[in-house]
């Protein structure tokens, strides 16, 4: 199997040539069944999106009059770049112990694509991301796993899967949205997309942030990020350069 595992970090508003429709349904997180009020715990927390584990990602929208509003919410302050809503989740967090060993939990977000990917076809995967203001920890990596079958595991730990695309989060800060983008050559028949951190606990690289905005932050031991505008679309081979790939 030939996987593309290159990381492209691009600043917002750079034009990316694409062809075809976005295969991610509700990728801008604007369609919802219920306006969020605070922390969420539902398996299907947003139209077309679900939690593939026991983790509880959150949905934020301007319609909320509670702790899940936009721009101000329980995780910090961030305006939406596209519409009224975005998603937030803990990429990794120290949450408990197994015996005498600490372990780190993860949250993921998953969706079923509008149609299956075609073998050997090139696709560009991208999304906007920013580090939540009240999060006191940064993490080093976020990845995307594309699969033929739905991911559904009863765990709060890392998914023991091998993502095809991984992004370096070193350029992601709390100063605004950053666009992360990569090219993927499809194996064929992939129908589900999952975003999260798939690293083993021993491979996690943490950076502690010195923030003063909220000394009572609920994320003292976790790295929390907002995500918006998830896009997966077919690209023309003539518009893709060799530097976009790592084999």
């Amino acid at each position: 199997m030939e996987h593309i595992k290159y990381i492209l970090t691009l600043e917002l508003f750079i034009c990316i040539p694409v062809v075809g429709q976005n295969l991610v349904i509700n990728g801008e997180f604007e369609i919802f069944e219920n306006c969020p009020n605070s922390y969420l715990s539902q398996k299907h927390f947003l139209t077309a999106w679900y939690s593939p584990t026991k983790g509880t990602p959150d949905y934020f929208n301007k319609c909320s009059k509670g702790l899940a509003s936009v721009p101000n919410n329980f995780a910090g302050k961030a305006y939406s770049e596209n519409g009224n809503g975005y998603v937030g989740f803990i990429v990794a967090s120290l949450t408990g112990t197994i015996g005498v060993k600490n372990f780190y939990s993860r949250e993921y977000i998953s969706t079923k694509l509008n149609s299956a990917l075609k073998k050997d076809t090139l696709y560009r995967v991208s999304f906007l991301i920013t580090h939540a203001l009240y999060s006191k920890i940064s993490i080093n990596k976020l990845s995307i796993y594309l699969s033929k079958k739905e991911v559904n595991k009863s765990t709060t730990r890392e998914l023991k899967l091998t993502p095809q695309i991984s992004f370096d989060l070193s350029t992601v800060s709390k100063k605004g949205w950053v666009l992360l983008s990569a090219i993927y050559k499809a194996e064929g028949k992939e129908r589900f997309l999952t975003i999260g951190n798939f690293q083993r606990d021993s491979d996690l690289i943490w950076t502690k942030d010195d923030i003063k905005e909220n000394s009572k932050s609920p994320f003292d031991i976790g790295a929390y990020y907002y995500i918006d505008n998830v896009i997966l679309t077919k690209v023309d081979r003539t518009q893709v350069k060799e530097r976009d790939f790592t084999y």
Side-chain angles (χ1 to χ4, degrees), residues 9-242:
T9 303
L10 304 175
E11 293 302 320
L12 189 59
F13 305 129
I14 291 181
C15 179
I16 300 176
V18 297
V19 294
Q21 65 172 334
N22 183 11
L23 298 182
V24 178
I25 302 171
N26 197 23
E28 293 186 349
F29 306 127
E30 294 301 306
I31 305 170
F32 58 90
E33 297 175 6
N34 298 296
C35 182
N37 289 315
S38 186
Y39 299 91
L40 298 182
S41 59
Q42 301 97 319
K43 182 77 172 177
H44 294 270
F45 63 97
L46 179 66
T47 301
W49 290 85
Y50 69 97
S51 171
T53 66
K54 294 174 68 176
T56 56
D58 301 293
Y59 179 53
F60 304 93
N61 194 287
K62 287 182 180 179
C63 68
S64 177
K65 299 185 183 303
L67 296 175
S69 187
V70 172
N72 297 296
N73 50 65
F74 65 77
K77 180 178 181 179
Y79 290 91
S80 173
E81 287 289 349
N82 295 282
N84 300 315
Y86 49 74
V87 167
F89 65 121
I90 297 174
V91 176
S93 177
L94 176 62
T95 58
T97 59
I98 298 178
V100 295
K101 288 186 176 181
N102 291 328
F103 74 94
Y104 296 93
S105 66
R106 314 284 197 287
E107 289 182 344
Y108 300 83
I109 58 174
S110 292
T111 187
K112 183 177 182 179
L113 301 175
N114 191 43
S115 62
L117 304 188
K118 296 181 180 180
K119 181 178 175 60
D120 294 332
T121 298
L122 298 185
Y123 296 87
R124 187 180 295 277
V125 186
S126 66
F127 56 87
L128 296 174
I129 185 170
T130 186
H131 193 196
L133 185 63
Y134 298 161
S135 176
K136 292 185 177 181
I137 295 176
S138 302
I139 201 68
N140 63 312
K141 187 176 290 186
L142 190 70
S143 300
I144 291 179
Y145 177 67
L146 291 151
S147 57
K148 298 176 183 179
K149 296 182 179 180
E150 180 182 49
V151 177
N152 194 346
K153 302 290 184 181
S154 181
T155 182
T156 57
R157 301 195 67 181
E158 77 275 12
L159 288 171
K160 298 185 183 302
L161 301 168
T162 304
Q164 296 93 335
I165 302 168
S166 292
F167 297 98
D168 179 2
L169 297 185
S170 62
T171 61
V172 177
S173 69
K174 301 173 181 178
K175 297 181 179 180
W177 295 93
V178 170
L179 178 64
L180 298 182
S181 175
I183 298 295
Y184 173 67
K185 183 178 180 181
E187 177 187 356
K189 299 183 179 180
E190 296 94 325
R191 194 64 191 271
F192 294 88
L193 180 148
T194 299
I195 303 175
N197 183 285
F198 297 79
Q199 293 175 285
R200 295 176 300 177
D201 288 354
S202 58
D203 294 330
L204 293 171
I205 298 176
W206 303 86
T207 302
K208 189 170 183 179
D209 297 341
D210 182 19
I211 67 169
K212 300 178 181 179
E213 288 85 355
N214 188 346
S215 60
K216 297 181 179 180
S217 167
F219 307 115
D220 289 352
I221 55 175
Y224 197 94
Y225 291 81
Y226 299 126
I227 284 183
D228 199 1
N229 203 31
V230 182
I231 297 174
L232 190 157
T233 188
K234 180 181 176 181
V235 295
D236 188 333
R237 285 180 176 271
T238 63
Q239 297 173 333
V240 178
K241 298 180 180 180
E242 183 63 27

